[in-house]
Amino acid sequence: MLNVEDINVYYGAIHAIKDVSFRVSDGEIVALIGANGAGKSTTLKTVSGLLRSNTGSIEFMSEDIMRTPADKLVSRGLAHVPEGRRVFAQMTVEENLEMGAYTRPNAEIAPGLERVYAHFPRLKERRRQVAGTLSGGEQQMLAMGRALMSSPHLLMLDEPSMGLAPILIEQIFQIVKELHEAGTTILLVEQNAQMALSIATRAYVMETGKVTLSGTGEELLHNDDVRRAYLGG
Ligand code: ATP
């Protein structure tokens, strides 16, 4: 579904990602893990067209998307939930969700809302509430729900657990697992390596802009280097 080969991205003189390659196949949940500043978010932003690589290639659904504008990628089925959520604070929960369906025919809005509310009953209870007054965990749910409204082939999640209490982190990961089981292909960026590896079919470890290791979630959970660096020994 997604094939990334040898991409390089710079912020001015900073070489943020270096010859990064990875792939996500249909039906997988793939995790990118690594420390702060390893280049994980930069990688997602490059896939979703917000940043550009001058080298290598990016293919999504067998098409070259290296030069495709970000908004076109949404209608082709690529959804990106950025770090820090960014819901429309003045709009209600339901209005936020409806905005997520802007690339879809009107007839799909009602069934889309039903599907999102089935995964996130909390959002249904709060559908008339203004999004800016939701808790951090609820805003994360809303950002994920809004992305689902575009009926994506690939859902990219950037640090969904960031800033959440442990109980909410469990809930968010449980929902990510359910979305995957319901047929959504997922690319997940996380600093919470334990949680990410425990649900990932495969994962890649990034260090200072490079992919240094890859394997199944299970293999990396038991890898000594990964345990020492990311799982507290
Ligand atoms: P985090 O989890 O902390 O977001 P990350 O692995 O996602 O980490 P990136 O955000 O991709 O890392 O950052 C990779 C490198 O690029 C870092 O050294 C970071 O300081 C740098 N960087 C990121 N965004 C910018 C920017 N807008 N301008 C300059 N440097 C940047």
Side-chain angles (χ1 to χ4, degrees):
M1 172 168 297
L2 178 69
N3 217 335
V4 176
E5 297 274 353
D6 289 328
I7 58 170
N8 284 274
V9 176
Y10 296 81
Y11 295 106
I14 299 169
H15 193 175
I17 58 175
K18 302 166 189 161
D19 295 323
V20 164
S21 300
F22 64 97
R23 69 189 158 80
V24 182
S25 302
D26 204 2
E28 279 196 301
I29 169 160
V30 172
L32 297 183
I33 62 167
N36 260 317
K40 307 179 300 296
S41 301
T42 302
T43 303
L44 285 200
K45 287 178 191 160
T46 310
V47 171
S48 64
L50 301 171
L51 294 170
R52 295 289 175 201
S53 167
N54 288 322
T55 63
S57 64
I58 308 178
E59 276 185 8
F60 174 60
M61 313 274 295
S62 310
E63 282 183 40
D64 173 7
I65 58 161
M66 285 284 275
R67 303 274 166 265
T68 311
D71 60 324
K72 289 267 173 359
L73 289 175
V74 179
S75 24
R76 290 209 202 156
L78 188 76
H80 181 182
V81 180
E83 204 171 7
R85 291 128 208 178
R86 286 190 255 155
V87 296
F88 301 114
Q90 312 297 327
M91 293 183 174
T92 65
V93 165
E94 193 147 296
E95 286 163 353
N96 267 271
L97 292 174
E98 286 166 1
M99 292 294 284
Y102 76 96
T103 58
R104 313 298 304 173
N106 276 346
E108 284 185 23
I109 292 178
L113 287 172
E114 284 297 310
R115 201 171 53 238
V116 169
Y117 289 148
H119 285 292
F120 301 97
R122 178 70 70 90
L123 293 181
K124 187 170 188 178
E125 286 164 24
R126 305 200 164 234
R127 63 186 187 279
R128 309 260 171 258
Q129 187 171 326
V130 167
T133 62
L134 295 173
S135 73
E138 289 162 352
Q139 289 192 19
Q140 180 62 47
M141 292 178 195
L142 180 54
M144 288 166 64
R146 191 177 57 190
L148 285 173
M149 290 295 289
S150 68
S151 298
H153 297 300
L154 177 65
L155 178 64
M156 303 200 295
L157 301 172
D158 197 345
E159 303 261 4
S161 78
M162 192 179 61
L164 301 183
I167 177 89
L168 274 169
I169 296 179
E170 295 263 350
Q171 270 183 32
I172 293 284
F173 273 89
Q174 182 56 39
I175 294 168
V176 173
K177 226 168 117 180
E178 285 170 21
L179 294 174
H180 175 237
E181 284 162 6
T184 310
T185 304
I186 295 171
L187 175 59
L188 172 68
V189 157
E190 261 296 336
Q191 275 190 56
N192 190 327
Q194 175 78 44
M195 292 297 262
L197 293 178
S198 65
I199 63 168
T201 42
R202 286 185 311 108
Y204 295 83
V205 179
M206 290 191 73
E207 280 172 46
T208 57
K210 292 186 184 146
V211 172
T212 53
L213 204 57
S214 66
T216 65
E218 188 70 22
E219 282 163 0
L220 294 184
L221 263 181
H222 297 107
N223 177 291
D224 285 342
D225 294 336
V226 172
R227 296 191 71 81
R228 254 192 311 274
Y230 305 107
L231 302 171

